[in-house]
Amino acid sequence: MDTKLLNRAYVLSLITIFYNLIEGGVATFYGAQDETLALFGFGLDSFVEVLSGIGIAHMIWRMNRNEVSERDSFERTALKVTGSAFYLLTAGLIFGATNSLYHGSKPETTMIGIVLSVLSILTMYFLYKAKLDVGHKLNSAPIISDANCTKTCFYLSFILLGSSLAYEIFSIPYIDAIGSLGIAWYAFKEGKEAFEKSKGNGLSCNDNCC
């Protein structure tokens, strides 16, 4: 494989990891401070994506040294940990949304959610297109799968943006809880996919997430 393209893919995976760390920190801090469940859940999801990103970076690192046709034990373990974390996040968000709806809780403000989601949309779109370009040029299933993972983060950002905008404009208390349930649905889906990938060593271009 082209070493320069693999190095580019590796750099993109590192950017994804560090961006999600920063995004997760900001989102969970302000989500807790402003009592915004959707923003807090979005931040936790970003932290879980870091676990997935580490597995991808490890795989690309291996690809740069030898041809890779299957996942190693580190990558399978990373997928299992990631899947478990996504399931825990799903349960936590469902509990939080139910509690919020029951008590009629509402955020103090969702402005941070609007700003952060717009920034995330722009960043994830750039990363998605860049990873997809490299993946197709290398004809690499793992890198194309990683691009599709990034596309999922892109969609999650729109859920956060929609719920944050709707609350800021209309001040409807349950909008934030509905947004968090949307994030929970994606988290469950990602958790299921992670466990499915961990059961087999083979790599497929049809994988939604590596």
Side-chain angles (χ1 to χ4, degrees):
M1 285 191 177
D2 190 313
T3 302
K4 287 185 178 180
L5 286 173
L6 281 173
N7 287 338
R8 187 185 302 173
Y10 187 65
V11 169
L12 288 170
S13 69
L14 292 180
I15 291 173
T16 304
I17 290 170
F18 287 113
Y19 176 82
N20 275 315
L21 279 172
I22 295 170
E23 179 180 79
V26 172
T28 52
F29 175 79
Y30 283 102
Q33 181 172 283
D34 297 332
E35 297 182 3
T36 309
L37 185 59
L39 180 58
F40 187 77
F42 183 78
L44 292 179
D45 182 88
S46 297
F47 283 136
V48 180
E49 295 292 350
V50 170
L51 299 176
S52 176
I54 290 172
I56 292 295
H58 175 76
M59 181 181 289
I60 296 173
W61 178 81
R62 286 201 302 130
M63 290 169 62
N64 213 350
R65 283 152 180 77
N66 299 289
E67 186 172 342
V68 174
S69 59
E70 59 182 37
R71 298 182 180 89
D72 64 9
S73 59
F74 178 87
E75 289 148 15
R76 292 194 299 274
T77 300
L79 282 167
K80 291 176 183 177
V81 172
T82 299
S84 299
F86 273 128
Y87 281 154
L88 285 172
L89 174 59
T90 300
L93 286 175
I94 291 174
F95 174 80
T98 303
N99 186 64
S100 178
L101 289 169
Y102 179 78
H103 292 287
S105 304
K106 59 181 181 179
E108 293 182 19
T109 177
T110 55
M111 279 304 300
I112 296 296
I114 294 171
V115 173
L116 194 61
S117 59
V118 170
L119 180 60
S120 183
I121 286 168
L122 296 174
T123 303
M124 292 303 152
Y125 181 76
F126 161 75
L127 288 170
Y128 165 66
K129 297 297 287 186
K131 290 177 182 179
L132 200 61
D133 179 62
V134 173
H136 283 307
K137 286 179 179 177
L138 289 170
N139 193 29
S140 168
I143 296 174
I144 292 172
S145 295
D146 184 34
N148 288 327
C149 282
T150 303
K151 183 168 68 172
T152 299
C153 298
F154 179 68
Y155 292 150
L156 279 172
S157 301
F158 275 103
I159 292 177
L160 177 63
L161 177 61
S163 64
S164 298
L165 272 174
Y167 180 79
E168 204 65 30
I169 294 171
F170 302 109
S171 298
I172 303 173
Y174 57 78
I175 288 292
D176 181 62
I178 290 175
S180 69
L181 288 175
I183 293 172
W185 184 83
Y186 268 102
F188 176 79
K189 184 171 178 288
E190 289 182 282
K192 181 181 177 183
E193 289 171 353
F195 273 112
E196 287 173 352
K197 305 301 181 296
S198 71
K199 292 176 182 177
N201 292 335
L203 301 170
S204 167
C205 280
N206 293 323
D207 290 352
N208 292 321
C209 194
C210 225

